[in-house]
Amino acid sequence: MKPAWRMDDVARLCGGQVMSGDPKTELGPIVFDSRAVEPGVTFLALKGHRQDGHDFVSEAVARGASAVIVSRECPLPSWPGVCVRVSDSLSALQALGAAHRDRLGLRVIGVTGSNGKTTTKEMVSHVLTRAGNSVFSSKGNLNSQLGLPLMLLEMDDSHEYGVLEMGASQRGEIARLASLAKPQVGVITNAGLAHLEFFGSAEGVAEAKWELAAALPATGAAVINADDPALAARARGLKCSVIRYGTAAGADVRAENIRPGPETVFDLTVGFFRQEVRLSTPGRFNVYNALAAVAVGMWEKVDMKTLVRALETFSPPPSRMEVRTRRDGAVFVLDAYNANPSSMKASLESFVSAYPSRRKIAVLGGMKELGAFMEKEHEALGALLAALSLDEVFFLGEEADWVRRGFERGKGAAAFRGFGNKEALHAGLRGRLSGGTAVLFKASRSVALENIYGPLLTEK
């Protein structure tokens, strides 16, 4: 059961004031979209880049909100609910999330990294659940300054573990999230080329991700990708325990003899323990995610046989190397939840190695948040495509000219086609599918490639 907060508690914790209504009213589930308001919820008025939630307070009240939290004066109709005013709505939410986490006796595991953090979070949760624990896992990628405190508030005293994803687009954000969640274990999957628009360099990315490790207590453990030089070099100065995973000889949790394919098979080696593991999804990078989950499980005293069984029964989250087969036998590999230079390379290389005997088509879209690196990284993507054993490349978006330039310089043998809209790409792709085809869909989330592969999956 979740411990209840009263609205006067909320005002006290957030340095605010109850402006109207019964202060003993219990805090309901917090929502910040007035369209999602149901009777009994608490509406948090947030000021965003495009809209101000304070403009929708009256709508939230009309929909049945029992309380509202605001940071400026706004008109309210006659209403029996409670209004709490704070100086800053987001800071108030974070204070509530942190206070709620402090009331619970569960162990928290934080997961961050440029790529793979959502799948790793789900693998860790699956491992701990299979070991008989009650586990709360943050939903989707609610990992931001707004999303994480909402997830903290959803945990309750029935949970033994909270496995929480932590994302950032600026330095200092991971440190702030860690101060709210207070993780005892921190997993850093990698420090790749993501959000370069905000971090400025690969070194800036690594520094931002390392904030999680730096926040861990001396009694905790940092689970570090030993094959990532930027992370491995930083591990020496940590005050907490360090568990290294990867393929490097010095890794504590190691993968050997990796065999790519529609299923990914590898030999898990930990000390004198060695056993074959068969993952149900393609991708060498999923081996790293699995190793991170094993490392966390070991630290939490899960036995090795349970860990192996858990990995082999794991299914990836939607659109993260999710494999779907059409009725005609064509295979779709859906990895279109996010894309940056590092994840593009990993996904494409894994796709090509997984389906050596099929005709391979890559359906790609632009990578976002690259700032001044946008043109350079899309040209590099074109060069990568030219070097891979692909039969056709379909690219959606205005970045196609940059990708084509790199592709032509690399003298790629595949047929390269650029498209300005989804309708044209859909029409061009549907005639290229057959039972012997494998298609990878990969792009940043904003490209919404599901609008292409969704209809194609249901066709004959």
Side-chain angles (χ1 to χ4, degrees):
M1 180 179 292
K2 188 182 298 184
W5 291 106
R6 301 188 329 187
M7 294 309 293
D8 54 354
D9 295 323
V10 172
R12 174 178 53 81
L13 288 167
C14 302
Q17 182 178 359
V18 177
M19 305 300 293
S20 62
D22 183 359
K24 296 182 180 179
T25 300
E26 287 191 3
L27 173 72
I30 293 178
V31 299
F32 54 89
D33 184 340
S34 60
R35 296 167 297 183
V37 170
E38 297 177 350
V41 308
T42 296
F43 178 70
L44 178 72
L46 290 168
K47 181 173 174 50
H49 295 298
R50 298 178 181 176
Q51 292 183 317
D52 188 340
H54 295 84
D55 297 334
F56 300 92
V57 169
S58 294
E59 179 185 339
V61 168
R63 286 177 174 267
S66 62
V68 297
I69 301 173
V70 300
S71 59
R72 66 172 173 80
E73 186 175 348
C74 50
L76 283 170
S78 178
W79 167 62
V82 186
C83 176
V84 171
R85 185 168 176 180
V86 298
S87 60
D88 180 78
S89 300
L90 179 58
S91 295
L93 174 65
Q94 293 174 347
L96 278 174
H100 183 67
R101 186 265 179 270
D102 288 345
R103 297 170 87 181
L104 303 174
L106 80 177
R107 290 178 61 76
V108 170
I109 297 159
V111 182
T112 193
S114 298
N115 305 305
K117 53 184 175 289
T118 299
T119 300
T120 300
K121 173 203 69 180
E122 295 296 332
M123 279 190 171
V124 170
S125 300
H126 185 67
V127 160
L128 294 174
T129 299
R130 285 296 298 260
N133 300 293
S134 174
V135 181
F136 176 87
S137 180
S138 54
K139 297 180 177 69
N141 66 339
L142 288 171
N143 59 18
S144 66
Q145 303 294 307
L146 173 60
L148 183 126
L150 287 172
M151 292 296 93
L152 291 175
L153 287 166
E154 287 201 16
M155 299 191 302
D156 63 45
D157 52 15
S158 72
H159 296 124
E160 297 166 273
Y161 287 94
V163 184
L164 305 175
E165 183 176 327
M166 299 180 181
S169 56
Q170 296 181 25
R171 294 184 192 182
E173 289 187 341
I174 295 291
R176 174 59 177 159
L177 295 177
S179 73
L180 303 178
K182 298 181 177 63
Q184 289 96 346
V185 179
V187 181
I188 307 180
T189 61
N190 46 57
L193 300 178
H195 305 298
L196 288 175
E197 179 180 3
F198 309 112
F199 294 125
S201 67
E203 180 65 19
V205 175
E207 289 178 4
K209 303 305 179 186
W210 198 250
E211 291 170 8
L212 174 57
L216 295 171
T219 55
V223 177
I224 305 298
N225 185 339
D227 293 353
D228 188 313
L231 300 180
R234 286 173 163 80
R236 302 184 192 92
L238 285 176
K239 59 185 178 182
C240 63
S241 298
V242 178
I243 306 173
R244 297 168 174 83
Y245 69 91
T247 60
D252 304 297
V253 180
R254 193 165 69 255
E256 297 178 350
N257 193 22
I258 299 173
R259 287 90 82 192
E263 293 183 324
T264 306
V265 184
F266 67 97
D267 294 333
L268 173 64
T269 303
V270 181
F272 293 108
F273 177 89
R274 183 184 182 95
Q275 185 166 332
E276 180 182 276
V277 176
R278 187 174 296 271
L279 301 177
S280 65
T281 185
R284 183 183 178 91
F285 53 88
N286 275 316
V287 173
Y288 285 92
N289 300 336
L291 294 176
V294 169
V296 173
M298 287 172 50
W299 181 258
E300 298 302 321
K301 298 181 170 52
V302 179
D303 67 270
M304 295 303 298
K305 289 186 178 180
T306 298
L307 289 171
V308 171
R309 285 196 298 269
L311 294 179
E312 295 193 329
T313 58
F314 176 79
S315 297
S319 295
R320 290 175 173 87
M321 292 304 280
E322 178 187 9
V323 179
R324 303 279 296 275
T325 303
R326 294 200 337 159
R327 283 176 289 179
D328 64 0
V331 172
F332 283 13
V333 180
L334 314 178
D335 195 28
Y337 199 88
N338 197 13
N340 56 55
S342 298
S343 69
M344 271 286 194
K345 183 175 188 294
S347 184
L348 282 160
E349 290 178 346
S350 295
F351 170 69
V352 168
S353 65
Y355 299 98
S357 61
R358 283 180 174 262
R359 189 167 62 86
K360 292 175 286 296
I361 301 174
V363 179
L364 310 175
M367 301 176 289
K368 308 303 181 183
E369 297 184 355
L370 293 175
F373 297 88
M374 186 75 76
E375 182 175 351
K376 174 185 175 182
E377 291 300 337
H378 280 91
E379 282 193 22
L381 172 60
L384 171 65
L385 292 168
L388 293 173
S389 299
L390 293 163
D391 295 281
E392 295 184 82
V393 177
F394 288 61
F395 194 94
L396 176 66
E398 59 188 8
E399 305 90 350
D401 287 342
W402 296 330
V403 179
R404 186 191 302 275
R405 190 183 308 157
F407 184 82
E408 291 177 348
R409 285 175 182 168
K411 299 181 179 179
F416 184 97
R417 300 176 66 184
F419 296 86
N421 60 75
K422 294 182 179 72
E423 293 74 19
L425 195 156
H426 179 275
L429 179 60
R430 66 183 304 183
R432 309 299 298 161
L433 301 175
S434 68
T437 304
V439 188
L440 171 69
F441 294 86
K442 179 72 174 173
S444 287
R445 180 67 190 88
S446 59
V447 179
L449 283 185
E450 67 271 15
N451 294 333
I452 296 172
Y453 64 68
L456 286 171
L457 272 169
T458 60
E459 295 178 1
K460 292 183 178 179

